[in-house]
Amino acid sequence: MSGSISAASVEETLKDFWATRPRRPHDGRKIAGVAAGIAQRYQIDPVIVRVAFVAMALCNGAGVLIYLLGWLLLAQADDEVSAAEALLGRGRSSTPTALTVLLGLAVVPATGFFVDGGFTMVGGVLLSVGAIYLLHRGRGQLNRPEPAVAFGAGAYGAEQGVGVGDGSGGKVSTEEQTTERVTPPAWDPLGAAPFAWDLPEPGRPPEPVAASPAPVVARRPGSRVGLATFGASLVVLAGSLVASSYSDWFHAQHVLGLLVAVLGAGMVLGSLRGNGGRGLIWLVVPLSVVGVVLTSVDFDVDAKQMGSTRDKPAAVADVKDRYTASVGEVELDLTALPNSGSVTTAVEVGLGSARVRVPADADVTVNCRTDLGSVRCLGRESDGEGRHEEVTDHGTDGPGGLEVVLDVRTDLGEVEVSRG
Protein backbone atom coordinates (compact mmCIF):
# COMPACT_ATOMS: atom_id res chain seq x y z
CA MET A 1 0.00 0.00 0.00
CA SER A 2 1.37 3.41 -1.00
CA GLY A 3 2.62 5.50 1.89
CA SER A 4 2.38 2.70 4.42
CA ILE A 5 5.36 1.57 6.51
CA SER A 6 5.50 -2.18 6.97
CA ALA A 7 8.15 -4.49 8.34
CA ALA A 8 9.04 -5.48 4.75
CA SER A 9 9.51 -1.84 3.69
CA VAL A 10 11.71 -1.19 6.74
CA GLU A 11 13.88 -4.17 5.81
CA GLU A 12 14.15 -3.10 2.16
CA THR A 13 15.03 0.46 3.15
CA LEU A 14 17.78 -0.67 5.52
CA LYS A 15 19.18 -3.07 2.90
CA ASP A 16 19.21 -0.28 0.29
CA PHE A 17 20.92 2.03 2.78
CA TRP A 18 23.64 -0.56 3.33
CA ALA A 19 24.11 -1.08 -0.43
CA THR A 20 24.41 2.66 -1.13
CA ARG A 21 25.74 3.87 2.20
CA PRO A 22 27.70 7.15 2.27
CA ARG A 23 31.41 7.43 1.66
CA ARG A 24 33.70 9.60 3.79
CA PRO A 25 35.06 12.52 1.72
CA HIS A 26 38.48 14.09 2.08
CA ASP A 27 37.12 17.64 1.89
CA GLY A 28 34.94 19.25 4.53
CA ARG A 29 35.69 16.73 7.25
CA LYS A 30 36.32 17.65 10.88
CA ILE A 31 37.51 14.29 12.21
CA ALA A 32 36.95 11.25 9.99
CA GLY A 33 34.36 12.63 7.57
CA VAL A 34 31.41 10.57 8.83
CA ALA A 35 29.11 13.57 9.23
CA ALA A 36 30.34 15.15 5.98
CA GLY A 37 29.73 11.88 4.11
CA ILE A 38 26.17 11.59 5.39
CA ALA A 39 25.51 15.22 4.48
CA GLN A 40 26.86 14.77 0.93
CA ARG A 41 24.98 11.52 0.36
CA TYR A 42 21.61 12.99 1.33
CA GLN A 43 22.35 16.61 0.29
CA ILE A 44 21.73 18.25 3.67
CA ASP A 45 23.67 20.78 5.73
CA PRO A 46 26.60 19.01 7.46
CA VAL A 47 26.08 21.26 10.50
CA ILE A 48 22.74 19.52 11.09
CA VAL A 49 24.42 16.11 11.05
CA ARG A 50 27.14 17.24 13.45
CA VAL A 51 24.59 18.71 15.85
CA ALA A 52 22.71 15.37 15.73
CA PHE A 53 25.91 13.51 16.66
CA VAL A 54 26.51 15.87 19.58
CA ALA A 55 22.92 15.42 20.75
CA MET A 56 23.26 11.63 20.58
CA ALA A 57 26.55 11.85 22.49
CA LEU A 58 24.57 13.28 25.40
CA CYS A 59 22.59 10.01 25.55
CA ASN A 60 25.35 8.38 27.62
CA GLY A 61 27.71 8.41 24.63
CA ALA A 62 25.42 6.88 21.97
CA GLY A 63 26.69 9.42 19.41
CA VAL A 64 30.30 8.42 20.09
CA LEU A 65 29.48 4.75 19.48
CA ILE A 66 27.61 5.55 16.23
CA TYR A 67 30.50 7.73 15.00
CA LEU A 68 33.09 5.02 15.69
CA LEU A 69 30.98 2.49 13.80
CA GLY A 70 30.66 4.93 10.89
CA TRP A 71 34.43 5.39 10.85
CA LEU A 72 34.87 1.62 10.62
CA LEU A 73 32.04 0.77 8.20
CA LEU A 74 32.02 3.73 5.77
CA ALA A 75 34.78 3.73 3.16
CA GLN A 76 36.66 6.84 2.09
CA ALA A 77 35.84 8.38 -1.28
CA ASP A 78 38.73 6.71 -3.15
CA ASP A 79 38.83 3.37 -1.30
CA GLU A 80 37.41 0.07 -2.49
CA VAL A 81 35.96 -0.96 0.87
CA SER A 82 35.66 0.29 4.42
CA ALA A 83 38.38 -0.08 7.03
CA ALA A 84 36.59 -2.98 8.74
CA GLU A 85 36.09 -4.82 5.44
CA ALA A 86 39.73 -4.28 4.48
CA LEU A 87 40.77 -5.84 7.77
CA LEU A 88 38.82 -8.94 6.69
CA GLY A 89 40.62 -9.02 3.33
CA ARG A 90 37.68 -7.93 1.16
CA GLY A 91 39.45 -5.06 -0.62
CA ARG A 92 41.72 -2.06 -0.29
CA SER A 93 41.38 0.76 2.24
CA SER A 94 43.71 3.66 2.89
CA THR A 95 43.03 3.47 6.63
CA PRO A 96 46.11 1.96 8.30
CA THR A 97 45.57 -1.46 9.82
CA ALA A 98 46.85 -0.27 13.19
CA LEU A 99 44.29 2.55 13.25
CA THR A 100 41.52 0.14 12.29
CA VAL A 101 42.46 -2.14 15.19
CA LEU A 102 42.53 0.80 17.59
CA LEU A 103 39.09 1.92 16.41
CA GLY A 104 37.77 -1.59 16.91
CA LEU A 105 39.19 -1.65 20.42
CA ALA A 106 37.61 1.75 21.11
CA VAL A 107 34.20 0.31 20.22
CA VAL A 108 34.52 -2.20 23.06
CA PRO A 109 34.47 0.32 25.94
CA ALA A 110 31.86 2.34 24.06
CA THR A 111 29.66 -0.73 23.93
CA GLY A 112 30.32 -1.35 27.62
CA PHE A 113 29.27 2.21 28.27
CA PHE A 114 26.15 1.33 26.27
CA VAL A 115 25.31 -1.34 28.84
CA ASP A 116 26.37 0.65 31.90
CA GLY A 117 24.52 3.72 30.67
CA GLY A 118 21.20 1.97 31.08
CA PHE A 119 18.23 2.71 28.93
CA THR A 120 19.21 6.28 28.07
CA MET A 121 21.90 5.12 25.66
CA VAL A 122 19.73 2.29 24.30
CA GLY A 123 17.14 4.92 23.44
CA GLY A 124 19.83 7.09 21.83
CA VAL A 125 21.03 4.28 19.57
CA LEU A 126 17.47 3.32 18.61
CA LEU A 127 16.74 6.96 17.87
CA SER A 128 19.85 7.13 15.66
CA VAL A 129 18.80 4.03 13.70
CA GLY A 130 15.29 5.44 13.30
CA ALA A 131 16.68 8.76 12.06
CA ILE A 132 18.87 6.96 9.49
CA TYR A 133 15.86 4.95 8.32
CA LEU A 134 13.66 8.04 7.89
CA LEU A 135 16.48 9.98 6.20
CA HIS A 136 17.14 7.23 3.67
CA ARG A 137 13.45 6.64 3.06
CA GLY A 138 12.87 10.33 2.33
CA ARG A 139 16.12 11.26 0.53
CA GLY A 140 17.73 7.97 -0.44
CA GLN A 141 17.08 8.65 -4.12
CA LEU A 142 19.38 11.70 -4.05
CA ASN A 143 23.04 11.49 -5.04
CA ARG A 144 22.97 7.70 -5.36
CA PRO A 145 26.32 6.13 -6.29
CA GLU A 146 26.65 4.45 -9.67
CA PRO A 147 26.02 0.67 -9.64
CA ALA A 148 29.64 0.02 -10.61
CA VAL A 149 30.94 1.82 -7.57
CA ALA A 150 28.20 1.11 -5.06
CA PHE A 151 29.12 -0.75 -1.92
CA GLY A 152 28.83 -4.48 -2.36
CA ALA A 153 29.13 -4.25 -6.15
CA GLY A 154 31.93 -4.45 -8.51
CA ALA A 155 35.43 -3.48 -7.77
CA TYR A 156 33.73 -3.23 -4.60
CA GLY A 157 32.44 -6.65 -5.68
CA ALA A 158 30.93 -6.31 -9.17
CA GLU A 159 31.71 -8.99 -11.70
CA GLN A 160 33.55 -7.84 -14.76
CA GLY A 161 32.00 -9.36 -17.86
CA VAL A 162 32.95 -9.21 -21.56
CA GLY A 163 30.72 -6.85 -23.48
CA VAL A 164 29.12 -7.54 -26.84
CA GLY A 165 31.74 -7.37 -29.53
CA ASP A 166 34.60 -7.71 -27.06
CA GLY A 167 37.38 -10.07 -27.87
CA SER A 168 41.04 -9.95 -28.64
CA GLY A 169 41.77 -6.31 -29.15
CA GLY A 170 38.09 -5.52 -28.87
CA LYS A 171 37.27 -6.87 -32.36
CA VAL A 172 35.51 -9.98 -33.55
CA SER A 173 37.80 -12.43 -35.33
CA THR A 174 37.20 -13.33 -38.97
CA GLU A 175 36.19 -16.88 -38.04
CA GLU A 176 33.42 -15.54 -35.81
CA GLN A 177 31.87 -13.37 -38.56
CA THR A 178 28.71 -14.56 -40.33
CA THR A 179 29.19 -15.92 -43.91
CA GLU A 180 28.14 -13.35 -46.51
CA ARG A 181 25.00 -13.99 -48.60
CA VAL A 182 25.61 -14.75 -52.31
CA THR A 183 22.04 -15.26 -53.57
CA PRO A 184 19.95 -12.09 -54.21
CA PRO A 185 16.75 -11.85 -52.16
CA ALA A 186 13.34 -11.81 -53.80
CA TRP A 187 13.05 -8.03 -53.55
CA ASP A 188 16.34 -7.51 -55.55
CA PRO A 189 16.26 -10.09 -58.41
CA LEU A 190 18.83 -8.12 -60.46
CA GLY A 191 21.31 -7.96 -57.60
CA ALA A 192 21.55 -4.18 -57.74
CA ALA A 193 21.92 -3.63 -54.01
CA PRO A 194 24.07 -6.39 -52.51
CA PHE A 195 24.99 -4.11 -49.60
CA ALA A 196 21.39 -4.38 -48.32
CA TRP A 197 20.80 -8.09 -48.86
CA ASP A 198 21.03 -8.74 -45.12
CA LEU A 199 17.87 -6.66 -44.50
CA PRO A 200 14.64 -8.59 -43.78
CA GLU A 201 12.18 -9.31 -46.60
CA PRO A 202 9.56 -6.53 -46.91
CA GLY A 203 6.16 -7.50 -45.63
CA ARG A 204 7.49 -10.52 -43.82
CA PRO A 205 5.55 -10.95 -40.58
CA PRO A 206 7.65 -10.76 -37.47
CA GLU A 207 8.66 -14.02 -35.96
CA PRO A 208 6.44 -14.99 -33.05
CA VAL A 209 7.94 -14.47 -29.65
CA ALA A 210 7.52 -17.30 -27.26
CA ALA A 211 5.52 -16.32 -24.22
CA SER A 212 7.62 -16.24 -21.10
CA PRO A 213 6.45 -18.59 -18.38
CA ALA A 214 4.70 -17.09 -15.40
CA PRO A 215 7.17 -16.29 -12.62
CA VAL A 216 7.20 -18.73 -9.78
CA VAL A 217 6.92 -16.99 -6.44
CA ALA A 218 9.33 -18.60 -4.04
CA ARG A 219 8.06 -19.05 -0.54
CA ARG A 220 10.09 -17.13 1.98
CA PRO A 221 11.87 -19.53 4.31
CA GLY A 222 11.46 -19.25 8.03
CA SER A 223 13.55 -16.67 9.81
CA ARG A 224 16.50 -18.39 11.37
CA VAL A 225 17.94 -15.08 12.56
CA GLY A 226 14.67 -14.14 14.28
CA LEU A 227 14.42 -17.50 16.01
CA ALA A 228 18.07 -17.42 17.07
CA THR A 229 17.73 -13.85 18.38
CA PHE A 230 14.61 -14.70 20.35
CA GLY A 231 16.45 -17.65 21.89
CA ALA A 232 19.43 -15.44 22.73
CA SER A 233 17.12 -12.94 24.44
CA LEU A 234 15.66 -15.71 26.59
CA VAL A 235 19.17 -16.77 27.58
CA VAL A 236 20.03 -13.15 28.48
CA LEU A 237 16.83 -12.85 30.52
CA ALA A 238 17.50 -16.08 32.41
CA GLY A 239 21.11 -15.13 33.03
CA SER A 240 20.07 -11.68 34.29
CA LEU A 241 17.59 -13.20 36.73
CA VAL A 242 20.29 -15.46 38.12
CA ALA A 243 22.86 -12.65 38.25
CA SER A 244 20.41 -10.35 40.05
CA SER A 245 20.91 -12.50 43.15
CA TYR A 246 24.61 -11.56 43.18
CA SER A 247 24.64 -7.99 41.81
CA ASP A 248 22.37 -4.99 42.30
CA TRP A 249 23.14 -3.82 38.77
CA PHE A 250 20.66 -6.26 37.22
CA HIS A 251 17.47 -4.38 38.03
CA ALA A 252 14.54 -3.94 35.64
CA GLN A 253 15.89 -0.99 33.66
CA HIS A 254 19.24 -2.58 32.86
CA VAL A 255 17.75 -5.99 32.06
CA LEU A 256 15.31 -4.38 29.61
CA GLY A 257 18.22 -2.48 28.08
CA LEU A 258 20.11 -5.73 27.52
CA LEU A 259 17.04 -7.38 25.95
CA VAL A 260 16.39 -4.48 23.58
CA ALA A 261 20.09 -4.43 22.59
CA VAL A 262 20.01 -8.15 21.73
CA LEU A 263 16.73 -7.90 19.82
CA GLY A 264 17.87 -4.78 17.96
CA ALA A 265 21.12 -6.46 16.92
CA GLY A 266 19.12 -9.42 15.64
CA MET A 267 16.88 -7.15 13.56
CA VAL A 268 19.88 -5.42 11.99
CA LEU A 269 21.58 -8.76 11.24
CA GLY A 270 18.38 -10.18 9.76
CA SER A 271 17.95 -7.14 7.51
CA LEU A 272 21.52 -7.32 6.24
CA ARG A 273 21.35 -11.06 5.59
CA GLY A 274 17.91 -10.81 4.01
CA ASN A 275 16.44 -13.71 5.96
CA GLY A 276 14.02 -12.18 8.41
CA GLY A 277 13.96 -10.91 11.94
CA ARG A 278 11.25 -8.34 11.15
CA GLY A 279 8.79 -9.79 13.67
CA LEU A 280 11.11 -8.84 16.53
CA ILE A 281 9.84 -5.26 16.24
CA TRP A 282 6.70 -6.34 18.14
CA LEU A 283 8.92 -7.15 21.13
CA VAL A 284 11.30 -4.20 20.82
CA VAL A 285 8.65 -1.47 20.81
CA PRO A 286 6.78 -2.41 24.02
CA LEU A 287 10.02 -3.24 25.86
CA SER A 288 11.41 0.15 24.85
CA VAL A 289 8.33 1.98 26.13
CA VAL A 290 8.43 0.15 29.46
CA GLY A 291 12.17 0.78 29.79
CA VAL A 292 11.83 4.52 29.16
CA VAL A 293 9.07 4.77 31.78
CA LEU A 294 11.09 2.83 34.36
CA THR A 295 14.15 4.98 33.69
CA SER A 296 12.33 8.32 33.75
CA VAL A 297 10.29 7.85 36.92
CA ASP A 298 11.71 6.75 40.26
CA PHE A 299 9.20 4.34 41.73
CA ASP A 300 11.15 4.00 44.99
CA VAL A 301 10.36 7.51 46.30
CA ASP A 302 8.86 7.43 49.79
CA ALA A 303 5.26 8.55 50.32
CA LYS A 304 4.37 8.46 46.64
CA GLN A 305 1.62 10.79 45.64
CA MET A 306 0.05 12.37 42.60
CA GLY A 307 -0.63 16.08 42.19
CA SER A 308 0.71 19.17 43.94
CA THR A 309 2.14 19.69 47.43
CA ARG A 310 2.47 23.19 48.85
CA ASP A 311 3.71 24.16 52.32
CA LYS A 312 4.64 27.43 54.02
CA PRO A 313 5.75 26.67 57.58
CA ALA A 314 5.91 29.56 60.05
CA ALA A 315 8.17 27.87 62.64
CA VAL A 316 11.31 25.76 62.42
CA ALA A 317 9.52 22.85 64.11
CA ASP A 318 6.86 22.87 61.40
CA VAL A 319 9.35 22.03 58.65
CA LYS A 320 9.15 18.35 57.63
CA ASP A 321 12.21 16.23 57.11
CA ARG A 322 11.14 15.31 53.56
CA TYR A 323 8.67 16.48 50.91
CA THR A 324 8.01 13.99 48.09
CA ALA A 325 5.87 13.43 45.01
CA SER A 326 6.07 10.64 42.45
CA VAL A 327 4.31 12.66 39.73
CA GLY A 328 3.44 16.34 40.19
CA GLU A 329 5.07 19.30 41.91
CA VAL A 330 6.30 20.33 45.33
CA GLU A 331 6.41 24.01 46.35
CA LEU A 332 8.04 24.78 49.70
CA ASP A 333 8.09 28.40 50.94
CA LEU A 334 10.45 29.02 53.90
CA THR A 335 10.28 32.82 53.83
CA ALA A 336 7.97 32.92 56.88
CA LEU A 337 10.55 31.31 59.19
CA PRO A 338 12.24 33.41 61.93
CA ASN A 339 15.79 34.65 61.44
CA SER A 340 17.31 32.13 63.86
CA GLY A 341 17.69 28.41 64.31
CA SER A 342 18.55 25.67 61.83
CA VAL A 343 16.49 23.81 59.22
CA THR A 344 17.41 20.68 57.26
CA THR A 345 14.98 19.19 54.74
CA ALA A 346 14.81 17.38 51.39
CA VAL A 347 12.48 17.72 48.40
CA GLU A 348 12.23 14.75 46.00
CA VAL A 349 10.06 14.56 42.87
CA GLY A 350 9.95 11.69 40.38
CA LEU A 351 8.33 13.42 37.39
CA GLY A 352 7.54 17.12 37.73
CA SER A 353 8.97 20.18 39.45
CA ALA A 354 10.52 20.98 42.84
CA ARG A 355 10.56 24.64 43.93
CA VAL A 356 11.87 26.09 47.21
CA ARG A 357 11.95 29.73 48.36
CA VAL A 358 14.31 30.71 51.18
CA PRO A 359 14.54 33.96 53.18
CA ALA A 360 16.66 36.73 51.67
CA ASP A 361 19.05 36.87 54.67
CA ALA A 362 19.30 33.13 55.53
CA ASP A 363 22.57 31.16 55.34
CA VAL A 364 21.73 28.51 52.74
CA THR A 365 23.60 25.36 51.73
CA VAL A 366 21.75 23.63 48.92
CA ASN A 367 22.32 20.57 46.72
CA CYS A 368 20.25 20.77 43.48
CA ARG A 369 20.15 17.94 40.96
CA THR A 370 18.04 16.44 38.16
CA ASP A 371 18.63 13.34 36.06
CA LEU A 372 17.08 15.03 33.04
CA GLY A 373 15.73 18.58 33.05
CA SER A 374 16.71 22.04 34.26
CA VAL A 375 18.28 23.44 37.44
CA ARG A 376 17.90 26.99 38.76
CA CYS A 377 19.80 27.06 42.04
CA LEU A 378 20.36 30.48 43.68
CA GLY A 379 21.62 32.08 40.49
CA ARG A 380 23.24 29.01 38.92
CA GLU A 381 21.44 27.59 35.89
CA SER A 382 21.95 24.50 33.74
CA ASP A 383 19.87 22.28 31.47
CA GLY A 384 20.24 18.76 30.15
CA GLU A 385 21.09 15.33 31.50
CA GLY A 386 22.63 14.77 34.93
CA ARG A 387 22.56 18.40 36.03
CA HIS A 388 24.00 19.04 39.53
CA GLU A 389 24.68 22.28 41.38
CA GLU A 390 25.97 22.74 44.95
CA VAL A 391 25.70 26.27 46.37
CA THR A 392 26.51 27.90 49.70
CA ASP A 393 25.17 31.45 50.05
CA HIS A 394 24.98 33.62 53.20
CA GLY A 395 22.34 35.99 51.89
CA THR A 396 22.21 39.75 51.81
CA ASP A 397 23.39 40.29 55.40
CA GLY A 398 26.38 37.92 55.33
CA PRO A 399 26.96 34.98 57.72
CA GLY A 400 24.66 34.68 60.69
CA GLY A 401 20.96 34.12 61.31
CA LEU A 402 18.79 31.24 60.10
CA GLU A 403 20.72 28.27 58.70
CA VAL A 404 19.00 26.26 55.93
CA VAL A 405 20.36 22.99 54.51
CA LEU A 406 18.46 21.70 51.46
CA ASP A 407 18.60 18.67 49.18
CA VAL A 408 16.32 19.30 46.17
CA ARG A 409 16.11 16.83 43.30
CA THR A 410 13.95 15.43 40.48
CA ASP A 411 14.33 12.44 38.22
CA LEU A 412 12.72 14.18 35.24
CA GLY A 413 11.72 17.81 35.49
CA GLU A 414 12.67 21.18 36.98
CA VAL A 415 14.53 22.13 40.17
CA GLU A 416 14.40 25.74 41.37
CA VAL A 417 15.72 27.31 44.58
CA SER A 418 15.32 31.08 44.93
CA ARG A 419 15.29 33.76 47.59
CA GLY A 420 12.10 35.47 48.73
Side-chain angles (χ1 to χ4, degrees):
M1 182 181 296
S2 177
S4 63
I5 300 179
S6 63
S9 67
V10 171
E11 179 180 359
E12 292 301 323
T13 301
L14 293 178
K15 288 169 63 177
D16 185 65
F17 165 78
W18 183 257
T20 62
R21 61 194 188 272
R23 302 175 72 84
R24 298 184 288 112
H26 293 284
D27 299 330
R29 62 168 57 185
K30 298 299 182 182
I31 302 176
V34 176
I38 295 174
Q40 286 188 10
R41 170 66 175 86
Y42 299 106
Q43 297 184 0
I44 57 179
D45 191 341
V47 175
I48 297 177
V49 183
R50 294 186 178 107
V51 169
F53 271 111
V54 173
M56 289 300 100
L58 297 178
C59 295
N60 281 6
V64 176
L65 177 61
I66 297 297
Y67 197 92
L68 288 174
L69 293 176
W71 197 339
L72 285 169
L73 299 177
L74 301 182
Q76 290 194 131
D78 52 357
D79 288 349
E80 293 179 356
V81 295
S82 65
E85 292 169 312
L87 193 63
L88 300 177
R90 295 183 178 179
R92 179 188 59 82
S93 173
S94 59
T95 303
T97 302
L99 178 58
T100 303
V101 173
L102 289 176
L103 291 174
L105 294 176
V107 170
V108 175
T111 307
F113 189 29
F114 177 90
V115 176
D116 294 336
F119 220 90
T120 304
M121 191 174 184
V122 175
V125 173
L126 291 179
L127 183 62
S128 301
V129 175
I132 291 173
Y133 165 78
L134 293 176
L135 182 64
H136 190 78
R137 183 178 177 86
R139 305 178 66 87
Q141 74 280 5
L142 303 176
N143 199 25
R144 293 180 66 89
E146 296 295 330
V149 297
F151 277 73
Y156 313 101
E159 297 180 357
Q160 300 295 331
V162 179
V164 177
D166 289 345
S168 176
K171 298 182 180 180
V172 180
S173 62
T174 305
E175 291 78 9
E176 293 175 345
Q177 297 179 0
T178 306
T179 305
E180 296 183 359
R181 184 171 182 172
V182 296
T183 304
W187 57 269
D188 187 21
L190 299 180
F195 59 85
W197 286 358
D198 57 341
L199 296 177
E201 296 286 346
R204 177 182 298 176
E207 298 182 359
V209 179
S212 58
V216 178
V217 179
R219 185 177 181 181
R220 181 183 290 270
S223 173
R224 295 182 178 179
V225 172
L227 183 60
T229 304
F230 182 72
S233 65
L234 293 180
V235 173
V236 170
L237 178 60
S240 300
L241 294 177
V242 174
S244 62
S245 302
Y246 303 94
S247 174
D248 295 335
W249 185 89
F250 290 91
H251 49 71
Q253 295 95 316
H254 287 169
V255 173
L256 284 175
L258 290 174
L259 291 177
V260 171
V262 172
L263 294 172
M267 292 179 61
V268 173
L269 179 60
S271 298
L272 297 179
R273 293 176 60 90
N275 58 353
R278 301 189 303 269
L280 297 175
I281 189 67
W282 302 110
L283 288 174
V284 172
V285 171
L287 290 177
S288 301
V289 172
V290 174
V292 170
V293 172
L294 290 177
T295 305
S296 301
V297 180
D298 185 0
F299 292 96
D300 294 329
V301 177
D302 295 336
K304 298 182 179 70
Q305 58 183 8
M306 304 283 289
S308 301
T309 299
R310 293 178 174 84
D311 193 13
K312 187 176 182 179
V316 172
D318 295 336
V319 179
K320 300 178 182 179
D321 293 337
R322 184 183 301 269
Y323 297 85
T324 62
S326 58
V327 178
E329 61 180 359
V330 174
E331 294 187 4
L332 177 61
D333 188 349
L334 303 178
T335 57
L337 295 178
N339 190 22
S340 62
S342 177
V343 172
T344 300
T345 186
V347 178
E348 297 181 358
V349 177
L351 176 61
S353 61
R355 296 185 176 91
V356 181
R357 295 183 64 195
V358 296
D361 52 0
D363 296 345
V364 181
T365 300
V366 57
N367 180 14
C368 302
R369 69 171 66 233
T370 180
D371 292 340
L372 182 62
S374 62
V375 170
R376 307 289 184 268
C377 193
L378 294 180
R380 295 189 183 181
E381 301 182 0
S382 59
D383 300 274
E385 179 188 4
R387 302 293 92 185
H388 183 203
E389 299 287 349
E390 294 185 9
V391 180
T392 298
D393 190 296
H394 297 293
T396 57
D397 63 345
L402 178 67
E403 295 182 359
V404 179
V405 179
L406 297 173
D407 185 8
V408 187
R409 64 182 64 198
T410 66
D411 293 319
L412 180 62
E414 179 184 5
V415 171
E416 180 179 353
V417 177
S418 60
R419 289 192 178 272

